[in-house]
Amino acid sequence: MAYFWDAFAILAYFALVIGVGLASARHRGDNMREFSMGSRQLPWWAVLASIVAAELSAATFLGTPAEGYHERNFLYAQLAIGTVIARIIVAYLFIRPFYDNNVVSIYEFLQIRFGVATRNAASAVFLVTRLLASGTRLYVAAVIVVVGYEMIHGVAATNGQAVWIYGGAVVLVTALTTLYTAAGGIRAVVWTDVIQATVMGGAVIYALISLWFGVGGWAGAHSVLTGEHDLQIFSSGFDLAPTTPSGTLDVAHGHPVLGAVSGILGNEYTIWAALLGSVFTTMATHGTDQDMVQRMLTAKDHHKARLALVLSGLVDIPVAMGFLFIGILIYVFYQLHPDPNLPTKNPEIFSYYILHQLPPGARGLLIAGVLATAMGSLSTALNALATSFTQDFWVPYLARRTDQHHIVNAVRWSTVVFAVLLAAIGTITAAVVVYSPHARIIPVVLGIFGYTYGSLLGIFLLGLTTKTRGTERGNLIAMVCGFITVAIWSGLPWDLLTVVSGKPVAPPVWLVQIEFPWRVMFGTLTTYAVAWCFREKSA
């Protein structure tokens, strides 16, 4: 009986989401404008909820509390400052040209501005990157299923059992999400996102209230959080720079500038990362990613799209703080109430608390919240991947018939194919993480697109801010240069050499290593600078 109310809450959630998603299919016209853009008739507040739901994947729901638990401060939330700045830039620089050119795939804009090769390269980068990024996110929702299995059976799952459980949960969530996404298109995505954002919000609020009373309020939290950086909100990066055994700043072999730069670029969560790195990252994810931009283009006009986008950034700040505070309070809770069975894997901490400390029914609500975040971001990725592939590659190169009925059928079947690929990537990621118990989710997930999205953003910015700079050949060279720059500065070649050789291979001591918030910025600036050097002959 203890699990009855949990099962009821979860099944009720599935029934509601799938029902609403399938009901949206009744409005689906047999054309791409309706299927992928909702005929641009969706209200701005629904678009706002959809943006929030897409951003808050299961990696956020479980990964951000894990960051709070691991760091015991709010430094990660600094990045939300940059996301607000970036959304304002995207709202007033990117959105209107997409509306004015009436694009379905935003990479069509690059063909209009530069040519076919640039469009194809950008779309291909998006398809590969989004597959990897969304696939790695997907496995996170199954973390709570593995922890639940261990709770019910009273023993830890073996590595083999864990991988099978992960795989089964990933396939189930993917199949259910694909069902309504393929049937209803972007309308199903947006309206189910509204439900998922509501469920997620209720789950977070309940978790915060439960934890606050569980630790005895501020008095209990303050008795544990006594470290130098506990509850810290802002950091310049200088206070996090490497130090010598005597406590003085490590000036990188006698060079104070390199020591200071290392303190800024070599740490993930600083105010500099918020004001610079996070701005470029969010400009890339919200201005050059079909996944996110497509839902903005469902609004009635660019004014409504701008409103939804900017407000979503303001919502992000309290959401990020709330998730981090959950993780911090979980750390306090288990310091006050030690549990010898507490998981050693950071991603499992919040799941463990949900399953072992919350009462039946409430526990089911939180599990539904995890599934809601996973399905929200997954449905968005599926629709965007299918739309981009169909519009940028199927119709121009592979389609035998180009009437709207056959194009819509192609995008629906593409949705199914991408669902299979995402499920496979999610399962493979789970297998890797099972054997890496101390993996931290947020850096892993955000790090994937850091290598490639700088190239995308650099080309889009060139197209939006200049009229004669950039050529097909120059753009391709610039995108490759952007990738190589990020790879070198983030230490990727030496990481690969370590894997191949089986022995640690370190980069040169003079090469300052950048953390994931800086990757898109470095890639963007390199790509833009190189592409700017090429000029159209007719200009």
Side-chain angles (χ1 to χ4, degrees):
M1 188 65 180
Y3 300 114
F4 171 79
W5 292 110
D6 296 333
F8 177 80
I10 295 170
L11 291 175
Y13 161 74
F14 276 131
L16 179 62
V17 168
I18 294 174
V20 170
L22 293 178
S24 302
R26 294 183 303 173
H27 302 283
R28 178 179 60 83
D30 237 5
N31 63 82
M32 279 290 285
R33 295 284 169 183
E34 168 59 29
F35 191 86
S36 296
M37 296 292 162
S39 297
R40 291 185 174 161
Q41 293 298 313
L42 299 182
W44 68 266
W45 55 266
V47 176
L48 166 62
S50 185
I51 293 173
V52 173
E55 293 173 326
L56 301 179
S57 65
T60 305
F61 200 99
L62 298 179
T64 308
E67 288 295 303
Y69 180 89
H70 181 268
E71 302 290 341
R72 300 191 297 281
N73 56 47
F74 296 99
L75 295 183
Y76 172 72
Q78 291 179 107
L79 303 184
I81 299 173
T83 71
V84 176
I85 298 172
R87 285 169 216 246
I88 295 173
I89 297 173
V90 171
Y92 288 92
L93 181 62
F94 288 72
I95 299 300
R96 183 164 185 174
F98 293 155
Y99 271 88
D100 289 345
N101 287 284
N102 202 28
V103 299
V104 173
S105 164
I106 61 173
Y107 309 110
E108 294 175 60
F109 168 79
L110 295 180
Q111 179 175 347
I112 296 170
R113 173 63 177 82
F114 297 112
V116 175
T118 301
R119 171 188 178 177
N120 289 347
S123 183
V125 168
F126 161 72
L127 291 173
V128 173
T129 305
R130 178 48 55 198
L131 268 173
L132 294 175
S134 294
T136 54
R137 283 192 182 107
L138 185 55
Y139 98 93
V140 184
V143 168
I144 199 167
V145 180
V146 175
V147 177
Y149 171 90
E150 295 175 342
M151 183 183 76
I152 293 172
H153 289 79
V155 294
T158 65
N159 288 342
Q161 289 173 331
V163 171
W164 277 104
I165 296 170
Y166 273 122
V170 164
V171 170
L172 176 62
V173 169
T174 304
L176 294 175
T177 306
T178 303
L179 178 64
Y180 66 78
T181 304
I186 195 66
R187 284 186 184 272
V189 171
V190 171
W191 288 116
T192 54
D193 279 350
V194 172
I195 297 172
Q196 288 153 352
T198 303
V199 172
M200 180 276 300
V204 170
I205 292 171
Y206 184 89
L208 282 170
I209 294 173
S210 169
L211 279 161
W212 184 252
F213 285 103
V215 303
W218 175 245
H222 188 65
S223 67
V224 174
L225 301 171
T226 57
E228 179 183 358
H229 297 294
D230 287 352
L231 298 179
Q232 187 175 357
I233 298 177
F234 296 107
S235 170
S236 65
F238 298 118
D239 56 328
L240 302 176
T243 58
T244 65
S246 63
T248 60
L249 182 67
D250 182 352
V251 294
H253 300 284
H255 201 301
V257 174
L258 287 180
V261 171
S262 177
I264 295 174
L265 300 181
N267 286 284
E268 299 165 351
Y269 311 133
T270 68
I271 191 63
W272 302 105
L275 297 177
L276 292 173
S278 181
V279 170
F280 279 87
T281 299
T282 304
M283 286 173 62
T285 58
H286 290 64
T288 71
D289 189 319
Q290 178 75 20
D291 187 328
M292 194 62 67
V293 179
Q294 186 170 334
R295 64 191 5 88
M296 302 174 201
L297 299 183
T298 63
K300 295 181 180 179
D301 53 51
H302 68 274
H303 298 291
K304 296 293 191 298
R306 286 173 176 171
L307 178 63
L309 177 59
V310 174
L311 288 180
S312 70
L314 298 177
V315 170
D316 268 359
I317 297 176
V319 168
M321 296 287 284
F323 276 118
L324 289 169
F325 199 38
I326 286 175
I328 294 170
L329 291 178
I330 290 176
Y331 175 83
V332 173
F333 182 87
Y334 285 115
Q335 291 297 307
L336 298 174
H337 309 282
D339 186 339
N341 299 316
L342 196 65
T344 58
K345 303 174 184 178
N346 284 338
E348 295 183 1
I349 294 297
F350 190 22
S351 297
Y352 187 87
Y353 175 82
I354 292 171
L355 294 171
H356 288 266
Q357 300 299 329
L358 297 185
R363 187 167 52 200
L365 171 66
L366 267 293
I367 294 173
V370 176
L371 298 174
T373 56
M375 296 175 73
S377 57
L378 176 60
S379 63
T380 304
L382 284 172
N383 193 257
L385 286 165
T387 296
S388 182
F389 173 76
T390 303
Q391 197 74 5
D392 296 329
F393 295 102
W394 178 267
V395 173
Y397 304 111
L398 302 173
R400 295 182 178 180
R401 301 176 64 178
T402 56
D403 60 277
Q404 289 296 310
H405 173 74
H406 284 84
I407 293 175
V408 171
N409 280 340
V411 77
R412 294 175 71 186
W413 279 110
S414 297
T415 302
V416 175
V417 172
F418 281 114
V420 173
L421 294 175
L422 285 168
I425 293 171
T427 303
I428 293 171
T429 303
V432 172
V433 172
V434 163
Y435 294 96
S436 302
H438 298 291
R440 291 165 61 202
I441 300 175
I442 296 296
V444 172
V445 171
L446 296 185
I448 290 174
F449 66 76
Y451 291 105
T452 57
Y453 270 27
S455 297
L456 278 182
L457 180 57
I459 294 302
F460 268 98
L461 284 176
L462 187 75
L464 290 165
T465 59
T466 70
K467 294 187 180 299
T468 61
R469 293 291 177 177
T471 64
E472 291 275 69
R473 180 183 178 187
N475 292 345
L476 298 181
I477 293 173
M479 293 175 74
V480 172
C481 290
F483 174 81
I484 292 174
T485 298
V486 175
I488 292 175
W489 280 75
S490 60
L492 181 61
W494 295 274
D495 290 339
L496 295 176
L497 287 174
T498 298
V499 173
V500 173
S501 66
K503 299 178 181 180
V505 180
V509 294
W510 53 264
L511 183 63
V512 176
Q513 298 291 282
I514 61 174
E515 285 292 341
F516 75 88
W518 297 99
R519 292 175 183 172
V520 172
M521 185 182 112
F522 273 62
T524 300
L525 296 178
T526 301
T527 302
Y528 189 97
V530 173
W532 190 88
C533 295
F534 293 84
R535 187 182 181 92
E536 295 178 3
K537 293 181 180 180
S538 59

mmCIF file of all heavy atoms in Angstrom, residues 217-240:
data_model
loop_
_atom_site.group_PDB
_atom_site.id
_atom_site.type_symbol
_atom_site.label_atom_id
_atom_site.label_comp_id
_atom_site.label_asym_id
_atom_site.label_seq_id
_atom_site.Cartn_x
_atom_site.Cartn_y
_atom_site.Cartn_z
ATOM 1 N N GLY A 217 15.294 24.303 10.091
ATOM 2 C CA GLY A 217 15.347 25.701 9.688
ATOM 3 C C GLY A 217 16.753 26.262 9.624
ATOM 4 O O GLY A 217 17.736 25.527 9.481
ATOM 5 N N TRP A 218 16.846 27.588 9.739
ATOM 6 C CA TRP A 218 18.127 28.255 9.591
ATOM 7 C C TRP A 218 19.132 27.839 10.664
ATOM 8 O O TRP A 218 20.329 27.720 10.401
ATOM 9 C CB TRP A 218 17.937 29.764 9.626
ATOM 10 C CG TRP A 218 19.224 30.519 9.610
ATOM 11 C CD1 TRP A 218 19.729 31.313 10.591
ATOM 12 C CD2 TRP A 218 20.204 30.530 8.563
ATOM 13 N NE1 TRP A 218 20.946 31.825 10.225
ATOM 14 C CE2 TRP A 218 21.267 31.366 8.983
ATOM 15 C CE3 TRP A 218 20.288 29.923 7.306
ATOM 16 C CZ2 TRP A 218 22.385 31.602 8.200
ATOM 17 C CZ3 TRP A 218 21.400 30.151 6.534
ATOM 18 C CH2 TRP A 218 22.440 30.984 6.961
ATOM 19 N N ALA A 219 18.660 27.622 11.870
ATOM 20 C CA ALA A 219 19.562 27.242 12.962
ATOM 21 C C ALA A 219 20.284 25.939 12.638
ATOM 22 O O ALA A 219 21.504 25.817 12.829
ATOM 23 C CB ALA A 219 18.784 27.114 14.274
ATOM 24 N N GLY A 220 19.538 24.958 12.150
ATOM 25 C CA GLY A 220 20.148 23.680 11.803
ATOM 26 C C GLY A 220 21.116 23.810 10.645
ATOM 27 O O GLY A 220 22.205 23.230 10.657
ATOM 28 N N ALA A 221 20.735 24.595 9.611
ATOM 29 C CA ALA A 221 21.604 24.766 8.450
ATOM 30 C C ALA A 221 22.887 25.498 8.838
ATOM 31 O O ALA A 221 23.991 25.113 8.435
ATOM 32 C CB ALA A 221 20.872 25.522 7.353
ATOM 33 N N HIS A 222 22.756 26.544 9.626
ATOM 34 C CA HIS A 222 23.915 27.356 10.000
ATOM 35 C C HIS A 222 24.899 26.583 10.872
ATOM 36 O O HIS A 222 26.102 26.855 10.848
ATOM 37 C CB HIS A 222 23.451 28.606 10.742
ATOM 38 C CG HIS A 222 24.552 29.591 11.003
ATOM 39 N ND1 HIS A 222 25.212 30.249 9.996
ATOM 40 C CD2 HIS A 222 25.129 30.016 12.166
ATOM 41 C CE1 HIS A 222 26.137 31.036 10.513
ATOM 42 N NE2 HIS A 222 26.112 30.913 11.837
ATOM 43 N N SER A 223 24.403 25.612 11.632
ATOM 44 C CA SER A 223 25.289 24.832 12.496
ATOM 45 C C SER A 223 26.228 23.931 11.699
ATOM 46 O O SER A 223 27.271 23.513 12.192
ATOM 47 C CB SER A 223 24.457 23.969 13.459
ATOM 48 O OG SER A 223 23.743 22.961 12.741
ATOM 49 N N VAL A 224 25.873 23.636 10.447
ATOM 50 C CA VAL A 224 26.674 22.742 9.605
ATOM 51 C C VAL A 224 27.492 23.527 8.588
ATOM 52 O O VAL A 224 28.660 23.203 8.315
ATOM 53 C CB VAL A 224 25.769 21.720 8.880
ATOM 54 C CG1 VAL A 224 26.579 20.895 7.887
ATOM 55 C CG2 VAL A 224 25.072 20.818 9.885
ATOM 56 N N LEU A 225 26.904 24.563 8.024
ATOM 57 C CA LEU A 225 27.542 25.301 6.933
ATOM 58 C C LEU A 225 28.484 26.360 7.492
ATOM 59 O O LEU A 225 28.171 27.553 7.549
ATOM 60 C CB LEU A 225 26.473 25.937 6.042
ATOM 61 C CG LEU A 225 25.492 24.941 5.414
ATOM 62 C CD1 LEU A 225 24.339 25.664 4.731
ATOM 63 C CD2 LEU A 225 26.208 24.024 4.430
ATOM 64 N N THR A 226 29.661 25.926 7.900
ATOM 65 C CA THR A 226 30.628 26.820 8.535
ATOM 66 C C THR A 226 31.911 26.973 7.712
ATOM 67 O O THR A 226 32.854 27.625 8.161
ATOM 68 C CB THR A 226 30.992 26.303 9.942
ATOM 69 O OG1 THR A 226 31.508 24.969 9.820
ATOM 70 C CG2 THR A 226 29.762 26.292 10.847
ATOM 71 N N GLY A 227 31.973 26.358 6.532
ATOM 72 C CA GLY A 227 33.169 26.436 5.700
ATOM 73 C C GLY A 227 33.362 27.813 5.095
ATOM 74 O O GLY A 227 32.430 28.626 5.032
ATOM 75 N N GLU A 228 34.571 28.082 4.623
ATOM 76 C CA GLU A 228 34.907 29.398 4.085
ATOM 77 C C GLU A 228 34.039 29.783 2.901
ATOM 78 O O GLU A 228 33.633 30.940 2.756
ATOM 79 C CB GLU A 228 36.383 29.405 3.665
ATOM 80 C CG GLU A 228 36.841 30.736 3.073
ATOM 81 C CD GLU A 228 38.286 30.685 2.597
ATOM 82 O OE1 GLU A 228 38.942 29.627 2.760
ATOM 83 O OE2 GLU A 228 38.754 31.705 2.055
ATOM 84 N N HIS A 229 33.744 28.819 2.024
ATOM 85 C CA HIS A 229 32.975 29.120 0.817
ATOM 86 C C HIS A 229 31.523 28.644 0.896
ATOM 87 O O HIS A 229 30.795 28.739 -0.087
ATOM 88 C CB HIS A 229 33.647 28.483 -0.401
ATOM 89 C CG HIS A 229 35.020 29.018 -0.682
ATOM 90 N ND1 HIS A 229 35.254 30.314 -1.065
ATOM 91 C CD2 HIS A 229 36.243 28.428 -0.616
ATOM 92 C CE1 HIS A 229 36.548 30.511 -1.242
ATOM 93 N NE2 HIS A 229 37.179 29.379 -0.965
ATOM 94 N N ASP A 230 31.091 28.155 2.058
ATOM 95 C CA ASP A 230 29.704 27.711 2.209
ATOM 96 C C ASP A 230 28.749 28.886 2.040
ATOM 97 O O ASP A 230 28.979 29.984 2.576
ATOM 98 C CB ASP A 230 29.492 27.084 3.593
ATOM 99 C CG ASP A 230 30.146 25.712 3.709
ATOM 100 O OD1 ASP A 230 30.624 25.210 2.681
ATOM 101 O OD2 ASP A 230 30.176 25.157 4.819
ATOM 102 N N LEU A 231 27.687 28.655 1.264
ATOM 103 C CA LEU A 231 26.629 29.641 0.995
ATOM 104 C C LEU A 231 27.140 30.862 0.228
ATOM 105 O O LEU A 231 26.432 31.855 0.099
ATOM 106 C CB LEU A 231 25.951 30.102 2.294
ATOM 107 C CG LEU A 231 25.231 29.015 3.096
ATOM 108 C CD1 LEU A 231 24.632 29.599 4.368
ATOM 109 C CD2 LEU A 231 24.135 28.363 2.257
ATOM 110 N N GLN A 232 28.355 30.797 -0.318
ATOM 111 C CA GLN A 232 28.881 31.911 -1.097
ATOM 112 C C GLN A 232 28.055 32.084 -2.370
ATOM 113 O O GLN A 232 27.662 31.107 -3.008
ATOM 114 C CB GLN A 232 30.345 31.649 -1.448
ATOM 115 C CG GLN A 232 31.048 32.813 -2.122
ATOM 116 C CD GLN A 232 32.533 32.526 -2.343
ATOM 117 O OE1 GLN A 232 33.027 31.482 -1.946
ATOM 118 N NE2 GLN A 232 33.234 33.445 -2.995
ATOM 119 N N ILE A 233 27.791 33.324 -2.733
ATOM 120 C CA ILE A 233 26.949 33.613 -3.903
ATOM 121 C C ILE A 233 27.779 34.111 -5.080
ATOM 122 O O ILE A 233 27.537 33.735 -6.224
ATOM 123 C CB ILE A 233 25.865 34.650 -3.540
ATOM 124 C CG1 ILE A 233 24.942 34.091 -2.448
ATOM 125 C CG2 ILE A 233 25.053 35.033 -4.774
ATOM 126 C CD1 ILE A 233 23.885 35.069 -1.988
ATOM 127 N N PHE A 234 28.784 34.938 -4.802
ATOM 128 C CA PHE A 234 29.602 35.493 -5.871
ATOM 129 C C PHE A 234 31.072 35.155 -5.633
ATOM 130 O O PHE A 234 31.524 35.030 -4.499
ATOM 131 C CB PHE A 234 29.454 37.016 -5.949
ATOM 132 C CG PHE A 234 28.068 37.465 -6.295
ATOM 133 C CD1 PHE A 234 27.249 38.032 -5.337
ATOM 134 C CD2 PHE A 234 27.576 37.321 -7.584
ATOM 135 C CE1 PHE A 234 25.967 38.439 -5.649
ATOM 136 C CE2 PHE A 234 26.297 37.732 -7.905
ATOM 137 C CZ PHE A 234 25.488 38.288 -6.941
ATOM 138 N N SER A 235 31.803 35.004 -6.734
ATOM 139 C CA SER A 235 33.243 34.775 -6.656
ATOM 140 C C SER A 235 33.902 35.420 -7.860
ATOM 141 O O SER A 235 33.438 35.250 -8.996
ATOM 142 C CB SER A 235 33.569 33.274 -6.621
ATOM 143 O OG SER A 235 34.963 33.065 -6.773
ATOM 144 N N SER A 236 34.973 36.151 -7.620
ATOM 145 C CA SER A 236 35.712 36.777 -8.718
ATOM 146 C C SER A 236 36.580 35.767 -9.450
ATOM 147 O O SER A 236 36.956 35.963 -10.589
ATOM 148 C CB SER A 236 36.612 37.897 -8.175
ATOM 149 O OG SER A 236 37.601 37.352 -7.325
ATOM 150 N N GLY A 237 36.923 34.665 -8.778
ATOM 151 C CA GLY A 237 37.834 33.686 -9.350
ATOM 152 C C GLY A 237 39.220 33.817 -8.768
ATOM 153 O O GLY A 237 39.970 32.848 -8.687
ATOM 154 N N PHE A 238 39.580 35.037 -8.324
ATOM 155 C CA PHE A 238 40.894 35.224 -7.711
ATOM 156 C C PHE A 238 40.988 34.463 -6.395
ATOM 157 O O PHE A 238 42.041 33.955 -6.030
ATOM 158 C CB PHE A 238 41.163 36.713 -7.467
ATOM 159 C CG PHE A 238 41.187 37.530 -8.727
ATOM 160 C CD1 PHE A 238 40.276 38.546 -8.923
ATOM 161 C CD2 PHE A 238 42.117 37.268 -9.727
ATOM 162 C CE1 PHE A 238 40.293 39.294 -10.086
ATOM 163 C CE2 PHE A 238 42.138 38.022 -10.896
ATOM 164 C CZ PHE A 238 41.224 39.035 -11.077
ATOM 165 N N ASP A 239 39.852 34.411 -5.659
ATOM 166 C CA ASP A 239 39.859 33.692 -4.386
ATOM 167 C C ASP A 239 39.901 32.188 -4.592
ATOM 168 O O ASP A 239 40.130 31.437 -3.650
ATOM 169 C CB ASP A 239 38.621 34.055 -3.560
ATOM 170 C CG ASP A 239 37.322 33.809 -4.311
ATOM 171 O OD1 ASP A 239 37.326 33.946 -5.544
ATOM 172 O OD2 ASP A 239 36.310 33.469 -3.669
ATOM 173 N N LEU A 240 39.682 31.739 -5.842
ATOM 174 C CA LEU A 240 39.712 30.309 -6.133
ATOM 175 C C LEU A 240 40.970 29.916 -6.901
ATOM 176 O O LEU A 240 41.131 28.763 -7.289
ATOM 177 C CB LEU A 240 38.481 29.919 -6.966
ATOM 178 C CG LEU A 240 37.128 30.225 -6.326
ATOM 179 C CD1 LEU A 240 36.014 29.868 -7.296
ATOM 180 C CD2 LEU A 240 36.957 29.473 -5.013
#
